[in-house]
Amino acid sequence: MKGKWKVYMPFLENQFKKNLAYKGSFYLMMICSIFGPFISYYLWMAIYGSSQSGVLGGLTKTEMIVYVFMTYVTSSIVMIGVSDEISDDVMEGSVVMTLIKPIDYRMSLIFKAMGVALYRMIAPSVFVWAGLEIYKVVVLGEKMTPVINILFYGISVAMSFFIYVLFDFCFGMVAFVTTYMFGMNMAKEALLGFLSGQLIPISFFPEVLQAIFEFLPFSSMVYTPVMVYLGKYSGLQLAFVLGKQMLWIVLLYGLGTFLWSKITRRLVVLGG
């Protein structure tokens, strides 16, 4: 296991350094990335301001503020796509090199994604999260999020990361059939924004749709860790949602293995 870690760690390190290579891009990302959550914040504050109820979808106004910004933090760390790289490798023909090298292609993609996640955790997720906690205490007069919530949130986010990357690996297998993924990736991102709870908390939907959405792996990508952070799960319910995340990791890993074995058996590369 230690030997495998040494083999794949350079993928993580190189990807992290690659993202830090251009200082201008680093600072520009820091500034521009803040606009998204603030747009959602003002939108939801307008909705709560026009509502006679202080609780919508099971969330108070304060909880919705936390939900908006923690959704942004979570999605920044978790949603690291690998299907684009798979598509590029297929189009260039370089994917054939993975079949002759003594490395696991999927593992190399996972470690690259980990490098990007580490970068996004530093810029700007940590700053947004710290600012949110300060705002809660100083402006809203609320207590800081309990350490136990943060601990379980970290565990949930780690599993969410693997769920998304393994799902995107499976999705990336489509590139072997179509060779063009740009349009499909756009559709995927739009759909996941809806199904994962990024745009609207799943608790806002009718109970039937909630049951369907929570059964699918997409809610485990963003909605579940944020609700864990808010302390909406406890005891057996918390164990259940964390167990469900672990189950989806196993299922998606198995599905990826099956699809990869099928695809590589019929792979034909011209040029490259």
Side-chain angles (χ1 to χ4, degrees):
M1 185 67 183
K2 186 177 180 180
K4 289 186 177 181
W5 180 266
K6 288 183 178 179
V7 170
Y8 296 106
M9 270 302 291
F11 289 102
L12 186 157
E13 294 171 357
N14 291 337
Q15 197 67 33
F16 180 73
K17 292 176 182 177
K18 179 181 177 181
N19 282 275
L20 289 174
Y22 300 99
K23 293 183 179 180
S25 175
F26 176 84
Y27 293 122
L28 186 63
M29 178 185 174
M30 286 282 289
I31 296 171
C32 294
S33 59
I34 299 299
F35 288 105
F38 273 103
I39 292 173
S40 296
Y41 165 79
Y42 285 113
L43 176 62
W44 281 110
M45 291 306 97
I47 294 173
Y48 273 84
S50 62
S51 174
Q52 296 180 352
S53 174
V55 180
L56 298 176
L59 299 173
T60 65
K61 185 177 180 179
T62 299
E63 288 175 334
M64 180 55 74
I65 293 173
V66 176
Y67 184 91
V68 166
F69 286 97
M70 288 309 297
T71 294
Y72 170 75
V73 169
T74 304
S75 60
S76 295
I77 298 172
V78 167
M79 293 191 164
I80 314 297
V82 297
S83 56
D84 280 334
E85 184 163 352
I86 296 173
S87 178
D88 291 341
D89 288 344
V90 171
M91 292 180 66
E92 296 169 3
S94 58
V95 68
V96 73
M97 296 301 295
T98 65
L99 301 177
I100 61 176
K101 291 180 179 179
I103 61 171
D104 186 308
Y105 181 56
R106 176 170 52 184
M107 286 297 294
S108 68
L109 292 175
I110 290 174
F111 273 79
K112 286 182 180 180
M114 289 170 66
V116 178
L118 181 60
Y119 166 75
R120 291 187 181 178
M121 193 181 301
I122 296 173
S125 297
V126 167
F127 297 97
V128 174
W129 173 71
L132 173 63
E133 287 296 323
I134 293 171
Y135 180 80
K136 276 178 60 181
V137 175
V138 176
V139 179
L140 300 178
E142 299 284 336
K143 295 180 180 179
M144 292 188 67
T145 302
V147 176
I148 190 67
N149 287 17
I150 298 175
L151 175 62
F152 281 114
Y153 167 78
I155 295 171
S156 183
V157 163
M159 290 194 286
S160 296
F161 168 82
F162 286 107
I163 290 172
Y164 182 85
V165 173
L166 292 174
F167 164 78
D168 208 44
F169 177 81
C170 295
F171 182 78
M173 295 298 100
V174 178
F176 288 90
V177 180
T178 65
T179 69
Y180 182 73
M181 293 286 290
F182 180 78
M184 296 188 69
N185 267 318
M186 293 285 288
K188 177 201 71 177
E189 290 174 7
L191 190 61
L192 285 183
F194 182 73
L195 295 176
S196 66
Q198 282 181 278
L199 299 177
I200 305 173
I202 293 176
S203 59
F204 275 68
F205 293 97
E207 292 185 3
V208 175
L209 289 179
Q210 286 186 44
I212 295 173
F213 288 173
E214 290 183 2
F215 172 77
L216 297 172
F218 313 116
S219 64
S220 294
M221 296 175 181
V222 175
Y223 180 76
T224 295
V226 175
M227 296 301 276
V228 168
Y229 187 85
L230 285 169
K232 294 295 183 178
Y233 301 127
S234 60
L236 291 176
Q237 191 178 21
L238 176 60
F240 174 77
V241 295
L242 294 178
K244 184 175 66 173
Q245 285 186 296
M246 180 60 70
L247 177 62
W248 275 117
I249 291 174
V250 174
L251 292 176
L252 289 171
Y253 187 88
L255 178 61
T257 300
F258 172 77
L259 292 175
W260 179 251
S261 65
K262 290 293 184 181
I263 287 292
T264 51
R265 287 177 186 174
R266 58 181 294 275
L267 177 62
V268 176
V269 176
L270 301 178

